Amino acid sequence: GAVVSQHPSRVICKSGTSVKIECRSLDFQATTMFWYRQFPKQSLMLMATSNEGSKATYEQGVEKDKFLINHASLTLSTLTVTSAHPEDSSFYICSARTGLAGGQETQYFGPGTRLLVL
Amino acid sequence: GENVEQHPSTLSVQEGDSAVIKCTYSDSASNYFPWYKQELGKRPQLIIDIRSNVGEKKDQRIAVTLNKTAKHFSLHITETQPEDSAVYFCAATQGGLTGGGNKLTFGTGTQLKVEL
């Protein structure tokens, strides 16, 4: 299957700082990437849909000014958690959708970034 | 929007037995149903998927069935092994060029434990 990387894998930061997470599709071009958040023993909750060259579409309840998403190229999307607080501590996972016919819907996930805000 | 329910939340089986996980969805427009396996602290990995024009799909020990009329789909794992132990998530979406941007709606997950 397609390969998606994510960096960093783990980050610890102080409350009030900003953290940037990168998501890359390594062997395919992804016009659409998705950002999820997963709390312990819970399901994946979609935060936003990232579209290359346009603004991200945020899910209800997700603050777009707090979770900045930039999808500058067909292989890279970034999520910046601004002014992070302890309640933002979570496992953040991106996914990328292959854009070819017949596999349009298939999403491949990055390895995730574990964020701990002290 | 789409709502996906998944049962059971935990499932414990003996090695070699079969395991079945069931999901229901609400949006009749959904037409793509993937299943993901997630080990602790790792990424979800696609293990099998099914599209609405197919009723059943099998890949070695894993099979998925889909009942469009009843809006439910199931994952079947036969001859379970300890390495099958993980959390399994079902999901649903409208595939194709349109359809809500192909957002996946996930079920709540099933913790499968295969005991020796």
Side-chain angles (χ1 to χ4, degrees):
Chain A
V3 180
V4 178
S5 72
Q6 206 170 321
H7 178 82
S9 59
R10 182 184 298 265
V11 59
I12 301 173
C13 69
K14 293 181 179 180
S15 184
T17 60
S18 294
V19 175
K20 180 185 281 189
I21 303 169
E22 293 186 349
C23 178
R24 293 180 185 273
S25 56
L26 298 184
D27 53 359
F28 66 100
Q29 293 183 331
T31 54
T32 304
M33 292 183 175
F34 302 87
W35 287 96
Y36 295 85
R37 183 165 51 183
Q38 186 177 35
F39 292 106
K41 297 187 178 181
Q42 294 189 21
S43 189
L44 290 88
M45 298 302 297
L46 180 66
M47 300 175 67
T49 302
S50 171
N51 300 296
E52 188 269 334
S54 64
K55 292 182 179 180
T57 303
Y58 289 81
E59 294 300 298
Q60 191 172 11
V62 178
E63 300 175 57
K64 61 181 180 181
D65 293 331
K66 180 171 181 62
F67 299 100
L68 301 179
I69 292 173
N70 184 274
H71 195 150
S73 77
L74 288 172
T75 60
L76 173 64
S77 176
T78 61
L79 168 68
T80 301
V81 183
T82 62
S83 187
H85 291 286
E87 57 266 31
D88 298 323
S89 299
S90 188
F91 192 48
Y92 291 85
I93 311 177
C94 70
S95 73
R97 191 184 72 204
T98 56
L100 300 177
Q104 186 89 12
E105 312 89 346
T106 304
Q107 289 187 29
Y108 295 93
F109 285 84
T113 297
R114 189 160 302 282
L115 171 64
L116 177 61
V117 185
L118 302 175
Chain B
E2 176 66 278
N3 182 51
V4 178
E5 295 189 357
Q6 184 172 346
H7 300 281
S9 57
T10 60
L11 179 60
S12 185
V13 299
Q14 294 294 315
E15 182 180 11
D17 288 349
S18 295
V20 180
I21 302 171
K22 299 182 179 182
C23 288
T24 60
Y25 62 99
S26 61
D27 190 346
S28 58
S30 291
N31 57 11
Y32 175 65
F33 309 92
W35 284 88
Y36 288 89
K37 174 184 179 182
Q38 187 180 29
E39 297 178 359
L40 188 63
K42 301 287 182 64
R43 78 182 82 196
Q45 292 194 310
L46 179 70
I47 57 172
I48 196 166
D49 56 13
I50 191 167
R51 291 177 171 81
S52 59
N53 58 346
V54 176
E56 183 175 356
K57 183 177 178 180
K58 189 174 181 179
D59 183 3
Q60 299 183 339
R61 297 187 296 109
I62 296 173
V64 57
T65 58
L66 171 65
N67 183 325
K68 282 186 63 179
T69 303
K71 295 207 280 288
H72 65 70
F73 56 113
S74 301
L75 177 71
H76 304 252
I77 305 174
T78 59
E79 300 173 32
T80 54
Q81 301 167 3
E83 50 265 39
D84 293 331
S85 296
V87 178
Y88 291 80
F89 292 99
C90 63
T93 186
Q94 295 179 44
L97 293 173
T98 58
N102 300 141
K103 296 188 298 183
L104 282 174
T105 300
F106 283 86
T108 49
T110 296
Q111 174 73 62
L112 173 64
K113 184 177 181 181
V114 180
E115 298 176 330
L116 296 172

